[in-house]
Every structure is written in C-alpha cells, then in structure tokens.
Amino acid sequence: AQSVTQLGSHVSVSEGALVLLRCNYSSSVPPYLFWYVQYPNQGLQLLLKYTTGATLVKGINGFEAEFKKSETSFHLTKPSAHMSDAAEYFCAVTYTGKLIFGQGTTLQVKP
Amino acid sequence: DSGVTQTPKHLITATGQRVTLRCSPRSGDLSVYWYQQSLDQGLQFLIQYYNGEERAKGNILERFSAQQFPDLHSELNLSSLELGDSALYFCASTSGGAAYEQFFGPGTRLTVL
C-alpha cells in the first residue's frame, strides 16, 4: 500500500524567504512522486514530478524537490518566496496511476 | 487552462437526490480519473476509466457510479445523496501511464442541503 504524509498543514514564510514543504511517502514498490499546487477555486496544477533518473527535480515557478529514497522523502523547496506562491500544495504518490495524496499544506506568504 | 472541462461548476441539491457530474478530457487523452476533495477526507481517488473500460476503483461508495462514453467524456453519478457527500469533485485526464502528468479540471462543487 502507498501513503503520503505532509508535515505541517500550514506553513507561513516572509516574502523572499526559503520555502520548505515536507513530504514523506510509504511505498512497497518504486514510486512515482508528484507535487501539485491548488490556487483558490481552481483545480490542481502540476509543479513537478519524479519518475526515474535524476533525484533533484526542477519544476515550474522556481520550485524544486529532491527524491531521497533512504529517507523516503520528497520535500519541495523554493529559494525565495513570492506573494503569488500562496496556495495549497499537495504531495502525491502513485505506481499504478491512481494518485494517493497527502493532506495538503497551505502556504502563507507574508509581505 | 488544463484542457479538461467539468460541468456544472456548482450544484446545490437536497438529500436523497441524484446528480450527474460531467467531465470532458483533454483531446486525445484516453484515461479519466475521478477524485473527491472534502475537508475531512482530503483528496481521495474514486475511480478510473480507460477508453471506456473501468480500470481501477478507490473508496467509491456503492451509491456512486461512473462511466466513460465512446467520445471519451465521462460522467459520475451520485445517488441517494447525503450531507456528507458535499465536496469538490475533480476529474483528471492523462495520455499515458502512471508516470504521466494528470491534468485536472476546475472541479464541480456539490452542496447537499
């Protein structure tokens, strides 16, 4: 069975500060890992994904994530937060196609 | 714009009623997934169709059913509605397998009164 745990349901950072959203997964088979972002009243948009190959993955809007198998983690980072980054972020895992999501982390960016 | 469309955007109905949610996938995508997003359960996978055939089922209630038509659009039918069915229902489509990005529609917000 696969599962995802996102540490921290709410993260607050100042504009220009580092963003770190934590995701740990559980999977008995090599997983595919995704980060999605949801802006208010919108659907989910893919930020980045890890399937195979390079463990440091770069995504849209300056986000990146590193797959660490030994730590079963896939944390999302961005060096400098922007006000427009305020949204809800979901980590997801799959092997068969159906996405298993974490509970989500709301990112607040303070001016 | 993901290319996935869902109608209606909002739906308000009463307990015991039946509703149908519609999803049109991106052009060429054969696979459609349905997800439910609620405050208490979060985002949960309901069911997947591939080229008209059911491929996978999640924690979908027996009161819920879905189908995918020859033109690849999909419908999610919810019957005997309960207050707890109030949620945002998303469909997503993809052109490939598990490693491929799923493109999400804007969702249908269902309110059961």
Side-chain angles (χ1 to χ4, degrees):
Chain A
Q2 297 176 313
S3 65
V4 174
T5 301
Q6 289 183 239
L7 299 174
S9 59
H10 190 98
V11 170
S12 182
V13 301
S14 297
E15 192 173 19
L18 171 72
V19 175
L20 171 60
L21 304 183
R22 299 178 187 273
C23 171
N24 286 89
Y25 69 91
S26 171
S27 179
S28 57
V29 294
Y32 301 130
L33 294 158
F34 301 79
W35 274 100
Y36 280 86
V37 62
Q38 184 179 26
Y39 298 102
N41 301 313
Q42 293 187 29
L44 281 76
Q45 179 185 9
L46 182 70
L47 280 176
L48 48 79
K49 65 177 181 179
Y50 169 78
T51 54
T52 58
T55 57
L56 182 61
V57 180
K58 294 188 185 300
I60 63 171
N61 302 337
F63 285 94
E64 63 181 39
E66 186 170 11
F67 171 61
K68 291 187 176 181
K69 185 178 178 181
S70 61
E71 298 177 9
T72 60
S73 69
F74 191 56
H75 301 331
L76 182 70
T77 61
K78 182 174 180 177
S80 177
H82 191 273
M83 297 297 292
S84 61
D85 294 327
E88 189 158 18
Y89 293 79
F90 292 93
C91 181
V93 64
T94 187
Y95 180 71
T96 61
K98 64 178 186 182
L99 291 170
I100 308 299
F101 288 94
Q103 287 299 309
T105 298
T106 300
L107 176 64
Q108 179 188 23
V109 182
K110 297 176 293 186
Chain B
D1 185 355
S2 67
V4 178
T5 60
Q6 289 187 249
T7 57
K9 191 163 185 169
H10 299 279
L11 199 47
I12 301 173
T13 188
T15 54
Q17 295 299 305
R18 173 189 169 94
V19 297
T20 297
L21 313 183
R22 182 188 170 104
C23 168
S24 293
R26 291 189 320 154
S27 177
D29 285 358
L30 300 178
S31 197
V32 170
Y33 296 79
W34 285 97
Y35 296 89
Q36 179 195 58
Q37 184 177 31
S38 62
L39 284 175
D40 52 346
Q41 298 290 327
L43 262 166
Q44 286 202 313
F45 165 74
L46 294 178
I47 197 163
Q48 179 205 358
Y49 276 81
Y50 179 83
N51 201 21
E53 300 287 327
E54 182 185 302
R55 270 291 173 92
K57 251 183 175 177
N59 294 327
I60 187 167
L61 299 171
E62 284 191 15
R63 301 182 285 108
F64 295 3
S65 65
Q67 53 185 328
Q68 187 179 27
F69 295 86
D71 67 351
L72 300 178
H73 91 271
S74 178
E75 292 181 357
L76 179 66
N77 300 295
L78 316 177
S79 62
S80 302
L81 286 167
E82 302 175 0
L83 296 178
D85 297 328
S86 296
L88 198 49
Y89 291 85
F90 288 109
C91 80
S93 73
T94 182
S95 59
Y100 284 69
E101 174 182 358
Q102 292 184 23
F103 292 85
F104 282 75
T108 293
R109 183 169 295 280
L110 173 66
T111 303
V112 183
L113 300 175

